[in-house]
Amino acid sequence: MGLFTRRSQQNTTTAAAGTVSTLDPALAALTGDYVIDAAHSSIGFTVRHAMVTNVRGTFAEHQGTLHLDGADPARSTAAIEVRIASVDTGIADRDTHLRSGDFFDAEAYPVMTFRSTAAQQLGGDRYRISGDLTIKDVTRPLAIDLEFNGSATDVYGNERVGFEGSTEILRSDWGLTWNAALEAGGVMVSDRVKLTFDISAIKQA
């Protein structure tokens, strides 16, 4: 089955040679180019702090594009840019530290990017998109598992699609190695970071 199966069912026509599947018009209609609506989307992270609790944050400023192919999900693509200076964990001093050279060095490397290289359907409404994540001057492969949340026309007539998903990385793989030892053992900040995505995108004419 093709991309975005939740909102549609495939039709069939019977010919002399037998039953032939035809592409659902609703599914085909979702094929096209989309722009991520940052006002209704969220790109965030969760990381263990002081070995006992989690710190959550988001990047308020991001932009991106999607190309969705309802007939062949493997031809779908994504590109996202995130402004590092927009990091927000709810504590100003911590955000300043994250922007500093100890972590992201936002002045020298203001943008984090993801560019897809492959996409696949895992089953039902679950998909995996693989690509290259660049943080600072380091580019490494990353796979993100996503769930398609559906499509709708909003009150302004925009055709929207929604996805949510997550993945985990080791921040040290991208050169984010700052830490501090705790007196009781362990370290201040975990190397493992969970990245989360809640995406609403608008179809372009």
Side-chain angles (χ1 to χ4, degrees):
M1 299 180 70
L3 193 61
F4 318 133
T5 54
R6 176 181 297 174
R7 301 304 186 212
S8 58
Q9 298 176 345
Q10 286 190 318
N11 298 322
T12 59
T13 59
T14 303
T19 300
V20 179
S21 294
T22 61
L23 184 63
D24 186 328
L27 190 132
L30 295 178
T31 296
D33 296 318
Y34 292 76
V35 171
I36 293 175
D37 178 7
H40 295 93
S41 300
S42 175
I43 297 176
F45 60 90
T46 303
V47 62
R48 184 64 58 90
H49 178 261
M51 306 295 292
V52 297
T53 189
N54 290 319
V55 168
R56 293 175 174 82
T58 61
F59 294 95
E61 297 180 25
H62 55 269
Q63 62 183 12
T65 58
L66 310 175
H67 175 76
L68 307 181
D69 193 317
D72 185 359
R75 299 181 64 180
S76 298
T77 61
I80 298 174
E81 294 186 354
V82 175
R83 300 292 297 183
I84 295 299
S86 70
V87 65
D88 182 4
T89 65
I91 297 179
D93 287 346
R94 181 164 60 204
D95 297 342
T96 298
H97 191 198
L98 289 173
R99 296 183 189 107
S100 75
D102 283 345
F103 285 96
F104 288 109
D105 196 359
E107 185 172 347
Y109 306 98
V111 179
M112 172 172 59
T113 64
F114 175 79
R115 298 286 185 273
S116 70
T117 56
Q120 66 182 114
Q121 185 178 22
L122 301 179
D125 293 309
R126 297 181 302 110
Y127 298 86
R128 176 171 295 151
I129 187 161
S130 302
D132 294 322
L133 175 67
T134 301
I135 303 175
K136 299 173 78 169
D137 58 350
V138 180
T139 299
R140 295 180 61 88
L142 179 71
I144 305 169
D145 286 351
L146 297 166
E147 182 174 357
F148 174 60
N149 286 338
S151 62
T153 301
D154 65 23
V155 295
Y156 302 106
N158 297 312
E159 296 181 52
R160 292 178 177 268
V161 294
F163 294 89
E164 62 179 318
S166 64
T167 190
E168 289 190 349
I169 66 170
L170 298 179
R171 60 188 178 91
S172 59
D173 286 345
W174 280 267
L176 303 175
T177 57
W178 183 92
N179 229 320
L182 301 175
E183 290 186 6
V187 293
M188 181 71 71
V189 185
S190 171
D191 190 24
R192 187 173 299 277
V193 181
K194 181 179 181 180
L195 304 179
T196 57
F197 306 86
D198 195 347
I199 302 297
S200 177
I202 298 173
K203 190 175 186 179
Q204 303 301 287

Coordinates of all heavy atoms in Angstrom, one line a residue, residues 45-129:
F45 N 13.9 18.1 22.2 CA 14.8 17.1 22.7 C 14.6 16.9 24.2 O 14.0 17.7 24.9 CB 16.3 17.6 22.5 CG 16.6 18.9 23.2 CD1 17.1 18.9 24.4 CD2 16.4 20.1 22.5 CE1 17.5 20.1 25.1 CE2 16.8 21.3 23.1 CZ 17.3 21.3 24.4
T46 N 15.0 15.7 24.6 CA 15.0 15.3 26.0 C 16.3 14.7 26.4 O 16.8 13.9 25.6 CB 13.9 14.3 26.3 OG1 12.6 14.9 25.9 CG2 13.8 14.0 27.8
V47 N 16.9 15.1 27.5 CA 18.2 14.6 27.9 C 18.3 14.4 29.4 O 17.7 15.3 30.2 CB 19.4 15.5 27.4 CG1 19.3 16.9 28.1 CG2 20.7 14.9 27.7
R48 N 18.9 13.4 29.9 CA 19.0 13.1 31.3 C 19.9 14.1 32.0 O 21.0 14.3 31.4 CB 19.4 11.7 31.6 CG 19.5 11.3 33.0 CD 18.1 11.3 33.7 NE 17.2 10.4 33.0 CZ 17.0 9.1 33.3 NH1 17.7 8.5 34.2 NH2 16.1 8.4 32.7
H49 N 19.5 14.7 33.1 CA 20.3 15.7 33.8 C 20.6 15.2 35.2 O 19.7 14.8 35.9 CB 19.5 17.0 33.9 CG 20.3 18.1 34.6 ND1 20.0 18.4 35.9 CD2 21.3 18.9 34.2 CE1 20.8 19.4 36.3 NE2 21.5 19.7 35.3
A50 N 21.9 15.3 35.6 CA 22.3 14.9 36.9 C 21.9 13.5 37.3 O 21.8 13.2 38.5 CB 21.8 15.9 38.0
M51 N 21.8 12.7 36.3 CA 21.5 11.2 36.5 C 20.1 10.9 37.0 O 19.8 9.7 37.1 CB 22.6 10.6 37.4 CG 24.0 10.8 37.0 SD 24.5 10.1 35.5 CE 24.4 8.3 35.9
V52 N 19.3 11.9 37.4 CA 18.1 11.6 38.1 C 16.8 12.2 37.4 O 15.7 11.8 37.7 CB 18.1 12.0 39.5 CG1 19.2 11.3 40.3 CG2 18.3 13.6 39.6
T53 N 16.9 13.1 36.5 CA 15.8 13.8 36.0 C 16.0 14.1 34.5 O 17.1 13.9 34.0 CB 15.4 15.0 36.7 OG1 14.1 15.5 36.3 CG2 16.4 16.1 36.5
N54 N 15.0 14.5 33.8 CA 15.1 14.8 32.4 C 14.9 16.3 32.2 O 14.0 16.9 32.8 CB 14.1 14.1 31.5 CG 14.3 12.6 31.5 OD1 15.5 12.2 31.3 ND2 13.3 11.8 31.6
V55 N 15.7 16.9 31.3 CA 15.5 18.3 30.8 C 15.0 18.2 29.4 O 15.5 17.5 28.6 CB 16.8 19.0 30.8 CG1 16.7 20.4 30.1 CG2 17.3 19.3 32.3
R56 N 13.9 19.0 29.2 CA 13.3 19.1 27.9 C 13.4 20.4 27.3 O 13.4 21.4 28.0 CB 11.8 18.7 28.0 CG 11.6 17.2 28.3 CD 10.1 16.9 28.5 NE 9.9 15.5 28.8 CZ 10.1 14.9 30.0 NH1 10.4 15.6 31.0 NH2 9.9 13.6 30.1
G57 N 13.6 20.5 26.0 CA 13.7 21.8 25.3 C 13.2 21.7 23.9 O 12.9 20.6 23.4
T58 N 13.1 22.9 23.3 CA 12.7 23.0 21.9 C 13.5 24.0 21.2 O 14.2 24.8 21.8 CB 11.2 23.4 21.8 OG1 11.0 24.7 22.4 CG2 10.2 22.4 22.5
F59 N 13.4 24.0 19.9 CA 14.0 25.0 19.0 C 12.9 25.8 18.4 O 12.2 25.2 17.5 CB 14.9 24.4 18.0 CG 16.1 23.7 18.5 CD1 16.1 22.3 18.8 CD2 17.3 24.4 18.8 CE1 17.3 21.7 19.3 CE2 18.4 23.8 19.3 CZ 18.4 22.4 19.6
A60 N 12.7 27.0 18.8 CA 11.5 27.7 18.4 C 11.5 28.1 16.9 O 10.5 28.3 16.3 CB 11.4 29.0 19.3
E61 N 12.7 28.3 16.4 CA 12.8 28.8 15.0 C 13.4 27.6 14.1 O 14.5 27.2 14.3 CB 13.8 30.0 14.9 CG 13.3 31.2 15.7 CD 14.2 32.4 15.6 OE1 15.0 32.4 14.6 OE2 14.2 33.2 16.5
H62 N 12.5 27.2 13.2 CA 12.9 26.2 12.2 C 12.1 26.3 11.0 O 11.0 27.0 11.0 CB 12.7 24.8 12.8 CG 11.4 24.5 13.3 ND1 11.0 24.8 14.6 CD2 10.3 24.0 12.7 CE1 9.7 24.4 14.8 NE2 9.3 24.0 13.6
Q63 N 12.6 25.8 9.9 CA 11.9 25.8 8.6 C 12.2 24.6 7.8 O 13.3 23.9 8.1 CB 12.2 27.1 7.8 CG 13.7 27.1 7.4 CD 14.0 28.4 6.7 OE1 13.2 29.4 6.6 NE2 15.2 28.5 6.1
G64 N 11.4 24.2 6.9 CA 11.7 23.0 6.1 C 10.7 22.7 5.0 O 9.6 23.4 5.0
T65 N 11.0 21.8 4.2 CA 10.1 21.4 3.1 C 10.0 19.9 3.0 O 10.9 19.2 3.4 CB 10.7 21.9 1.7 OG1 12.0 21.4 1.5 CG2 10.7 23.4 1.7
L66 N 8.9 19.4 2.5 CA 8.7 18.0 2.3 C 8.2 17.8 0.9 O 7.5 18.6 0.3 CB 7.6 17.5 3.2 CG 7.7 17.7 4.7 CD1 6.4 17.2 5.4 CD2 8.9 17.1 5.3
H67 N 8.6 16.7 0.3 CA 8.0 16.3 -1.0 C 7.4 14.9 -0.7 O 8.2 14.0 -0.3 CB 8.9 16.2 -2.1 CG 8.3 15.6 -3.4 ND1 7.4 16.3 -4.1 CD2 8.3 14.3 -3.9 CE1 6.9 15.5 -5.1 NE2 7.5 14.3 -5.0
L68 N 6.1 14.7 -0.8 CA 5.4 13.5 -0.5 C 5.0 12.8 -1.8 O 4.4 13.5 -2.7 CB 4.2 13.7 0.4 CG 4.5 14.5 1.7 CD1 3.3 14.6 2.5 CD2 5.7 13.8 2.5
D69 N 5.2 11.5 -1.9 CA 4.8 10.8 -3.1 C 3.8 9.7 -2.6 O 4.3 8.7 -2.0 CB 6.0 10.2 -3.8 CG 5.7 9.6 -5.1 OD1 4.6 9.0 -5.3 OD2 6.5 9.9 -6.1
G70 N 2.5 9.8 -2.9 CA 1.5 8.9 -2.5 C 1.7 7.5 -3.1 O 1.2 6.5 -2.6
A71 N 2.2 7.5 -4.4 CA 2.3 6.2 -5.1 C 3.6 5.5 -4.7 O 3.6 4.2 -4.8 CB 2.3 6.5 -6.6
D72 N 4.6 6.2 -4.4 CA 5.9 5.6 -4.1 C 6.6 6.3 -2.9 O 7.3 7.3 -3.1 CB 6.8 5.6 -5.4 CG 8.1 4.9 -5.2 OD1 8.3 4.3 -4.1 OD2 8.9 4.8 -6.1
P73 N 6.3 5.8 -1.7 CA 6.9 6.5 -0.5 C 8.4 6.7 -0.6 O 8.9 7.6 0.0 CB 6.5 5.6 0.6 CG 5.3 4.9 0.1 CD 5.5 4.7 -1.3
A74 N 9.1 5.8 -1.3 CA 10.5 5.9 -1.3 C 11.0 7.1 -2.0 O 12.2 7.5 -1.9 CB 11.1 4.6 -2.0
R75 N 10.2 7.8 -2.8 CA 10.5 9.0 -3.5 C 10.2 10.2 -2.7 O 10.4 11.4 -3.2 CB 9.8 9.0 -4.8 CG 10.2 7.9 -5.8 CD 9.5 8.0 -7.1 NE 9.9 9.2 -7.8 CZ 9.4 9.5 -9.0 NH1 8.5 8.7 -9.6 NH2 9.8 10.6 -9.7
S76 N 9.7 10.1 -1.5 CA 9.4 11.2 -0.6 C 10.7 11.8 0.0 O 11.7 11.0 0.2 CB 8.5 10.8 0.5 OG 7.2 10.4 0.0
T77 N 10.8 13.1 0.2 CA 12.0 13.7 0.7 C 11.7 14.7 1.8 O 10.5 15.2 1.9 CB 12.8 14.4 -0.4 OG1 12.0 15.4 -1.0 CG2 13.2 13.4 -1.5
A78 N 12.7 15.1 2.6 CA 12.5 16.2 3.6 C 13.8 16.9 3.8 O 14.9 16.4 3.6 CB 12.1 15.5 4.9
A79 N 13.7 18.2 4.1 CA 14.8 19.1 4.4 C 14.4 20.0 5.5 O 13.4 20.7 5.4 CB 15.3 19.8 3.1
I80 N 15.2 20.1 6.5 CA 14.9 20.9 7.7 C 16.1 21.7 8.1 O 17.2 21.2 8.2 CB 14.4 20.1 8.9 CG1 13.1 19.3 8.5 CG2 14.1 20.9 10.1 CD1 12.7 18.3 9.5
E81 N 15.9 23.0 8.5 CA 16.9 23.8 9.1 C 16.4 24.4 10.4 O 15.3 24.8 10.5 CB 17.3 25.0 8.2 CG 17.9 24.6 6.9 CD 18.4 25.8 6.0 OE1 18.1 26.9 6.5 OE2 19.0 25.6 5.0
V82 N 17.3 24.3 11.4 CA 17.0 24.7 12.8 C 17.9 25.8 13.2 O 19.2 25.6 13.1 CB 17.0 23.5 13.8 CG1 16.8 24.0 15.2 CG2 16.0 22.5 13.4
R83 N 17.4 26.9 13.8 CA 18.2 28.0 14.3 C 18.6 27.6 15.7 O 17.8 27.6 16.6 CB 17.5 29.3 14.3 CG 17.0 29.8 12.9 CD 18.2 30.2 12.0 NE 19.0 31.3 12.5 CZ 20.0 31.8 11.8 NH1 20.4 31.3 10.6 NH2 20.7 32.8 12.3
I84 N 19.9 27.4 15.9 CA 20.4 27.0 17.2 C 20.2 28.0 18.3 O 19.8 27.7 19.4 CB 22.0 26.7 17.1 CG1 22.2 25.5 16.2 CG2 22.5 26.5 18.5 CD1 21.6 24.2 16.7
A85 N 20.3 29.3 18.0 CA 20.1 30.4 19.0 C 18.6 30.4 19.5 O 18.4 31.0 20.5 CB 20.4 31.7 18.3
S86 N 17.7 29.7 18.9 CA 16.3 29.6 19.4 C 16.1 28.6 20.4 O 14.9 28.3 20.8 CB 15.4 29.4 18.2 OG 15.5 28.1 17.6
V87 N 17.1 27.9 20.9 CA 16.9 26.8 21.9 C 16.3 27.4 23.1 O 16.6 28.5 23.6 CB 18.3 26.1 22.2 CG1 19.3 27.1 22.9 CG2 18.1 24.9 23.0
D88 N 15.3 26.6 23.7 CA 14.6 27.1 24.8 C 14.3 25.9 25.7 O 13.5 25.0 25.4 CB 13.3 27.7 24.3 CG 12.4 28.3 25.5 OD1 12.9 28.3 26.7 OD2 11.3 28.7 25.2
T89 N 14.9 25.9 26.9 CA 14.6 24.9 27.9 C 13.9 25.5 29.1 O 13.6 24.8 30.1 CB 15.9 24.3 28.5 OG1 16.7 25.3 29.1 CG2 16.8 23.7 27.3
G90 N 13.5 26.8 29.0 CA 12.8 27.4 30.1 C 13.6 28.1 31.2 O 13.1 28.7 32.1
I91 N 14.9 27.9 31.0 CA 15.9 28.6 32.0 C 16.9 29.3 31.2 O 17.7 28.7 30.4 CB 16.6 27.5 32.9 CG1 15.5 26.8 33.8 CG2 17.6 28.2 33.8 CD1 16.1 25.8 34.7
A92 N 16.9 30.6 31.3 CA 17.7 31.5 30.4 C 19.2 31.2 30.5 O 19.9 31.1 29.5 CB 17.5 33.0 30.8
D93 N 19.7 31.0 31.8 CA 21.2 30.7 32.0 C 21.5 29.4 31.3 O 22.6 29.3 30.7 CB 21.5 30.6 33.4 CG 21.5 32.0 34.1 OD1 21.5 33.0 33.4 OD2 21.5 32.1 35.3
R94 N 20.7 28.4 31.4 CA 21.0 27.1 30.7 C 21.0 27.3 29.2 O 21.8 26.7 28.5 CB 20.0 26.1 31.2 CG 20.2 24.7 30.5 CD 19.5 23.6 31.3 NE 18.1 23.8 31.3 CZ 17.2 23.4 32.2 NH1 17.7 22.6 33.2 NH2 15.9 23.6 32.1
D95 N 20.0 28.0 28.7 CA 20.0 28.3 27.2 C 21.2 29.0 26.7 O 21.8 28.7 25.7 CB 18.7 29.1 26.9 CG 17.4 28.3 27.2 OD1 17.5 27.1 27.4 OD2 16.4 29.0 27.3
T96 N 21.7 29.9 27.5 CA 22.9 30.7 27.2 C 24.1 29.7 27.1 O 25.0 29.8 26.2 CB 23.2 31.8 28.2 OG1 22.1 32.7 28.1 CG2 24.5 32.5 27.8
H97 N 24.2 28.8 28.1 CA 25.2 27.8 28.1 C 25.2 26.9 26.9 O 26.2 26.6 26.3 CB 25.2 27.0 29.4 CG 26.4 26.1 29.6 ND1 26.4 25.1 30.5 CD2 27.6 26.2 29.1 CE1 27.6 24.5 30.5 NE2 28.4 25.2 29.6
L98 N 24.0 26.5 26.5 CA 23.8 25.6 25.3 C 24.3 26.3 24.0 O 24.8 25.7 23.1 CB 22.4 25.2 25.2 CG 21.9 24.1 26.2 CD1 20.4 23.9 26.1 CD2 22.6 22.8 26.1
R99 N 24.1 27.6 24.0 CA 24.5 28.4 22.8 C 26.0 28.6 22.7 O 26.5 29.0 21.7 CB 23.7 29.7 22.8 CG 22.2 29.6 22.6 CD 21.6 31.0 22.6 NE 20.2 31.0 22.6 CZ 19.5 31.4 23.7 NH1 20.1 31.9 24.8 NH2 18.2 31.2 23.7
S100 N 26.6 28.4 23.9 CA 28.1 28.8 24.0 C 28.9 27.7 23.3 O 28.5 26.7 22.8 CB 28.4 28.9 25.5 OG 28.5 27.6 26.0
G101 N 30.2 28.0 23.3 CA 31.2 27.1 22.7 C 31.3 25.7 23.4 O 31.8 24.7 22.9
D102 N 30.8 25.6 24.7 CA 30.8 24.4 25.4 C 29.9 23.4 24.7 O 30.1 22.1 24.8 CB 30.3 24.5 26.8 CG 31.4 25.1 27.7 OD1 32.5 25.1 27.3 OD2 31.0 25.6 28.9
F103 N 28.8 23.9 24.0 CA 27.9 23.0 23.4 C 27.8 23.3 21.9 O 28.6 22.9 21.1 CB 26.5 23.1 24.1 CG 26.4 22.4 25.4 CD1 26.6 23.1 26.6 CD2 26.2 21.0 25.5 CE1 26.6 22.4 27.8 CE2 26.1 20.4 26.7 CZ 26.3 21.1 27.9
F104 N 26.8 24.1 21.5 CA 26.5 24.2 20.1 C 27.3 25.3 19.4 O 27.4 25.3 18.2 CB 25.0 24.6 19.9 CG 24.0 23.5 20.1 CD1 23.2 23.5 21.2 CD2 23.9 22.4 19.2 CE1 22.3 22.4 21.5 CE2 23.0 21.4 19.4 CZ 22.2 21.4 20.5
D105 N 27.9 26.2 20.1 CA 28.7 27.3 19.6 C 27.8 28.0 18.5 O 28.2 28.1 17.3 CB 30.0 26.8 19.0 CG 31.0 28.0 18.7 OD1 30.6 29.2 18.9 OD2 32.1 27.7 18.3
A106 N 26.7 28.5 18.9 CA 25.7 29.1 17.9 C 26.2 30.2 17.1 O 25.7 30.5 16.0 CB 24.4 29.5 18.7
E107 N 27.1 31.0 17.6 CA 27.7 32.1 16.9 C 28.5 31.6 15.7 O 28.3 32.2 14.6 CB 28.6 33.0 17.8 CG 29.1 34.3 17.1 CD 29.8 35.2 18.0 OE1 29.7 35.0 19.2 OE2 30.4 36.1 17.5
A108 N 29.2 30.6 15.8 CA 30.0 30.1 14.7 C 29.2 29.1 13.8 O 29.5 29.0 12.6 CB 31.3 29.3 15.3
Y109 N 28.3 28.4 14.4 CA 27.5 27.4 13.7 C 26.0 27.6 14.0 O 25.4 27.0 14.8 CB 27.9 26.0 14.1 CG 29.4 25.7 14.0 CD1 30.2 25.8 15.1 CD2 29.9 25.4 12.8 CE1 31.6 25.5 15.0 CE2 31.3 25.1 12.6 CZ 32.1 25.2 13.8 OH 33.4 24.9 13.6
P110 N 25.4 28.6 13.3 CA 24.1 29.1 13.7 C 22.9 28.1 13.3 O 21.8 28.2 13.8 CB 23.9 30.4 13.0 CG 24.9 30.3 11.8 CD 26.0 29.5 12.3
V111 N 23.2 27.2 12.4 CA 22.1 26.3 11.8 C 22.5 24.9 12.0 O 23.6 24.4 11.7 CB 21.9 26.7 10.4 CG1 20.8 25.8 9.8 CG2 21.5 28.2 10.2
M112 N 21.5 24.1 12.4 CA 21.5 22.6 12.4 C 20.6 22.2 11.2 O 19.5 22.7 11.1 CB 21.0 22.1 13.7 CG 20.9 20.6 13.7 SD 20.5 20.0 15.4 CE 19.0 20.8 15.8
T113 N 21.1 21.2 10.4 CA 20.3 20.8 9.2 C 20.1 19.3 9.2 O 20.9 18.5 9.7 CB 21.0 21.3 7.9 OG1 22.3 20.6 7.8 CG2 21.3 22.8 7.9
F114 N 19.0 18.9 8.5 CA 18.8 17.5 8.2 C 18.3 17.5 6.7 O 17.5 18.2 6.3 CB 17.7 16.9 9.1 CG 17.3 15.5 8.7 CD1 18.1 14.4 9.1 CD2 16.2 15.2 7.9 CE1 17.8 13.1 8.7 CE2 15.8 14.0 7.6 CZ 16.7 12.9 8.0
R115 N 19.0 16.6 6.0 CA 18.6 16.4 4.6 C 18.4 14.9 4.4 O 19.3 14.1 4.6 CB 19.8 16.8 3.6 CG 20.1 18.3 3.8 CD 19.0 19.2 3.1 NE 19.4 20.6 3.1 CZ 19.1 21.4 4.1 NH1 18.5 21.0 5.1 NH2 19.5 22.7 4.0
S116 N 17.2 14.5 3.9 CA 16.9 13.1 3.7 C 17.7 12.5 2.5 O 18.0 13.2 1.5 CB 15.4 12.9 3.6 OG 15.0 13.4 2.3
T117 N 17.9 11.2 2.6 CA 18.6 10.5 1.5 C 17.7 9.2 1.2 O 17.9 8.7 0.1 CB 20.0 10.0 1.9 OG1 19.9 9.2 3.1 CG2 20.9 11.2 2.2
A118 N 16.8 8.8 2.0 CA 15.9 7.7 1.7 C 14.7 7.7 2.6 O 14.7 8.3 3.7 CB 16.7 6.4 2.0
A119 N 13.6 7.0 2.1 CA 12.4 6.9 2.9 C 11.8 5.6 2.7 O 11.9 5.0 1.6 CB 11.4 8.0 2.5
Q120 N 11.1 5.0 3.7 CA 10.5 3.7 3.5 C 9.3 3.6 4.4 O 9.2 4.2 5.5 CB 11.5 2.6 3.8 CG 11.9 2.5 5.3 CD 12.9 1.4 5.6 OE1 14.0 1.7 5.9 NE2 12.4 0.2 5.4
Q121 N 8.3 2.8 4.0 CA 7.1 2.5 4.8 C 7.4 1.3 5.6 O 7.9 0.3 5.1 CB 5.9 2.3 3.9 CG 4.6 2.1 4.7 CD 3.4 1.9 3.8 OE1 3.6 1.5 2.6 NE2 2.2 2.1 4.3
L122 N 7.2 1.4 6.9 CA 7.4 0.3 7.9 C 6.2 -0.6 8.0 O 6.3 -1.7 8.5 CB 7.9 0.8 9.2 CG 9.1 1.7 9.2 CD1 9.5 2.2 10.6 CD2 10.3 0.9 8.6
G123 N 5.1 0.0 7.7 CA 3.8 -0.8 7.9 C 2.7 0.2 8.4 O 3.0 1.0 9.3
G124 N 1.5 0.1 7.8 CA 0.5 1.0 8.2 C 0.8 2.4 8.0 O 1.3 2.8 6.9
D125 N 0.7 3.2 9.1 CA 1.0 4.6 9.0 C 2.4 5.0 9.5 O 2.7 6.1 9.8 CB 0.0 5.4 9.8 CG -1.4 5.3 9.2 OD1 -1.5 5.6 7.9 OD2 -2.4 5.0 9.9
R126 N 3.3 4.0 9.7 CA 4.6 4.2 10.2 C 5.6 4.2 9.0 O 5.6 3.4 8.2 CB 5.0 3.1 11.2 CG 4.1 3.1 12.4 CD 4.5 2.0 13.4 NE 4.4 0.7 12.8 CZ 5.5 -0.1 12.5 NH1 6.7 0.4 12.8 NH2 5.4 -1.3 12.0
Y127 N 6.5 5.2 9.1 CA 7.5 5.4 8.1 C 8.9 5.6 8.8 O 9.0 6.0 9.9 CB 7.2 6.6 7.2 CG 5.9 6.3 6.5 CD1 4.6 6.6 7.1 CD2 5.8 5.8 5.2 CE1 3.4 6.4 6.5 CE2 4.6 5.5 4.6 CZ 3.4 5.8 5.2 OH 2.3 5.6 4.6
R128 N 9.9 5.4 8.0 CA 11.3 5.8 8.4 C 11.9 6.6 7.4 O 12.0 6.3 6.2 CB 12.1 4.5 8.7 CG 13.6 4.8 9.1 CD 14.3 3.6 9.5 NE 13.7 3.1 10.8 CZ 13.6 1.8 11.1 NH1 14.1 0.9 10.3 NH2 13.1 1.4 12.3
I129 N 12.5 7.8 7.8 CA 13.2 8.6 6.9 C 14.6 8.7 7.3 O 14.9 9.0 8.5 CB 12.5 10.0 6.7 CG1 13.2 10.8 5.6 CG2 12.6 10.8 8.1 CD1 12.4 12.0 5.2

